[in-house]
Each structure stands twice: as C-alpha cells, then as structure tokens.
C-alpha cells in the first residue's frame, strides 16, 4: 500500500523554491520506482515527540541511519535533539529526554537541515512512517513556511504484507510493533524510544524483510 509518493515533478518544484535546504533537497529526487532493493538507497529515520499528534505535540529529536542496498553504513548516522525551553512533561518517561537535554540541543532548522542533507537522493524508511511524515512535514512548514513531499518505505506495512501473505486474516495484535517484528527474525532487542537506536532497529528489520521479499523487489512494490 502506497502511503506517500514523491511527486513526479519534484525537480520542477525545486525551481519554485528559494535557495536553501528545501530547494537543495528537491534538486536530488528519490530513486525511480523501478529501482530494485539491492540498488536502493534509503535513510532510516525515527523521531521522538511529546505525543502522536503532529498538530499539537512537539518534535524532540531526530535519528537517522543510511541504508545502501544490503548494507548499513554507520558512518552516515546522525542524531539531533531539538532545542526547546518548554518542559517536556510526562512524555519523558517514554523517551528519556530531559529538559536539560532539550536546552542543550540544536535549533529545529539545523536539525531539519541536517536530516534533509542526509535524505537527499534517498527514500525515507520508517516504522509506521505516517508519524515521521506528519511531524517532519509540519516542522518544515513551521521553519520554512512550506514542505516537500517525501517518498517512504514503511516497515510496518511490509510486515503486515509478510504476515498476511495473501490471506484475509489480520496479523495477531501487537505483531506489527517494531520490537515484535524484529523478534520474528531473531533480531536483538535494543532499548526502545531513543531516536538513533530506533532508526538502526528499523534499518535492520528492513534488511531482514527484503531478504524474504527478494532483493530484486522494486521500490514501487516496497511502497
């Protein structure tokens, strides 16, 4: 099921954007839909937030790890805590980000710029990608007044497809969660709700899934 698809005219969109991170990103569109998994370049992304509603909750941190075909080059990984003077509240019990850590973070514009630099020419990879898409889109609009469309591969959707295998029965409750899905492939459990760690966990899950789907699977079939 296609959640988000980069517009075919993204290069044309670049001409209407002012110089800056959005234009630079739009000038390097994602790989074409025919690109096979063994040649596909993605960026596994995870965000930590104060909640799940992008219209009311805040973006706290962004973690990302590149995926090149069947490898995860950790040298390209990044993690940015977003500076804020507002208290993080009860969500700290989930993600562990403290008010002091937020005060020492980077501005939202810098965090987004670093992400877009890493994501340029790649496909965004996330588990339940609607969360990342919603928060990143809203953050772009907050900083620059507009956003660019993102092409996403969603490991939760891939897991649903793999578990269903053409049957109408829904997967068991909880089986689509990141750590449950990883367990089905014998992948280790990391400490959850840290953006960089969760991005790596998503990248590893994706490689396990594609090994089952086949490395000649096209991007079109992955979205």
């Amino acid at each position: 099921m296609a959640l988000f698809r980069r517009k075919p005219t993204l290069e044309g969109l670049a001409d209407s954007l002012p110089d800056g991170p959005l234009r630079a990103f739009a000038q390097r569109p994602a790989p074409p839909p025919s690109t096979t998994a063994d040649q596909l370049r993605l960026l596994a992304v995870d965000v930590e937030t104060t909640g799940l509603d992008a219209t009311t909750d805040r973006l706290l941190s962004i973690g990302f790890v590149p995926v090149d075909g069947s490898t995860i080059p950790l040298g390209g990984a990044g993690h940015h805590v977003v500076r804020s003077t507002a208290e993080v509240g009860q969500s700290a019990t989930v993600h562990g980000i403290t008010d002091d850590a937020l005060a020492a973070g980077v501005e939202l514009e810098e965090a987004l710029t670093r992400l877009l630099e890493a994501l340029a020419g790649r496909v965004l990879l996330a588990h339940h990608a609607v969360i990342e898409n919603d928060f990143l889109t809203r953050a772009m609009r907050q900083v620059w007044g507009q956003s660019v469309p993102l092409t996403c591969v969603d490991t939760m959707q891939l897991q649903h497809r793999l578990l269903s295998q053409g049957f109408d029965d829904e997967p068991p409750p909880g089986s689509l969660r990141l750590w449950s899905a990883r367990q089905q492939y014998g992948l280790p459990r990391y400490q959850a709700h840290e953006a960089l760690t969760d991005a790596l966990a998503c990248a590893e899950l994706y490689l396990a899934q594609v090994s089952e789907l086949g490395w000649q699977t096209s991007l079109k079939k992955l979205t």
Side-chain angles (χ1 to χ4, degrees):
M1 183 175 93
L3 290 179
F4 318 105
R5 187 72 55 80
R6 190 186 300 274
K7 295 179 180 179
T9 58
L10 187 61
E11 298 94 326
L13 175 62
D15 295 334
S16 67
L17 295 168
D19 287 337
L22 291 184
R23 182 169 185 168
F25 176 78
Q27 288 173 332
R28 295 178 58 192
S34 60
T35 307
T36 53
D38 62 334
Q39 300 296 317
L40 191 58
R41 300 173 73 242
L42 310 97
L43 190 74
V45 178
D46 184 80
V47 298
E48 294 301 324
T49 65
T50 56
L52 299 178
D53 187 347
T55 63
T56 58
D57 293 309
R58 288 186 290 123
L59 181 64
L60 301 177
S61 69
I62 305 172
F64 54 84
V65 177
V67 179
D68 293 344
S70 61
T71 64
I72 301 173
L74 294 177
H79 180 240
H80 303 286
V81 174
V82 178
R83 180 177 297 158
S84 175
T85 56
E87 293 185 357
V88 71
Q90 289 299 314
S91 64
T93 61
V94 176
H95 49 66
I97 300 174
T98 65
D99 294 336
D100 288 343
L102 290 178
V106 301
E107 297 297 335
L108 178 59
E109 181 173 2
E110 180 178 346
L112 286 176
T113 298
R114 298 292 172 260
L115 172 68
L116 291 178
E117 288 173 347
L119 184 57
R122 295 177 177 270
V123 173
L124 190 149
L125 174 67
H127 197 78
H128 195 30
V130 66
I131 298 296
E132 278 68 26
N133 184 77
D134 285 354
F135 274 92
L136 293 175
T137 296
R138 185 172 179 81
M140 285 187 275
R141 291 173 180 166
Q142 178 182 337
V143 172
W144 295 300
Q146 58 192 123
S147 62
V148 289
L150 304 173
T151 300
C152 297
V153 171
D154 189 338
T155 51
M156 189 171 79
Q157 291 292 332
L158 292 181
Q159 192 65 14
H160 186 282
R161 187 187 311 172
L162 286 163
L163 290 178
S164 300
Q165 294 293 341
F167 296 100
D168 293 332
D169 294 339
E170 283 296 308
S175 62
L176 298 181
R177 294 180 181 273
L178 177 59
W179 305 108
S180 297
R182 285 176 57 86
Q183 187 176 26
Q184 294 171 46
Y185 294 96
L187 295 170
R189 184 177 182 88
Y190 303 142
Q191 183 173 348
H193 300 299
E194 195 278 336
L196 181 56
T197 302
D198 285 358
L200 175 60
C202 175
E204 292 175 341
L205 174 60
Y206 165 79
L207 294 186
Q209 291 172 328
V210 175
S211 293
E212 188 167 335
L213 290 167
W215 288 100
Q216 294 305 304
T217 304
S218 67
L219 172 59
K220 182 177 181 180
K221 293 182 178 179
L222 290 172
T223 56

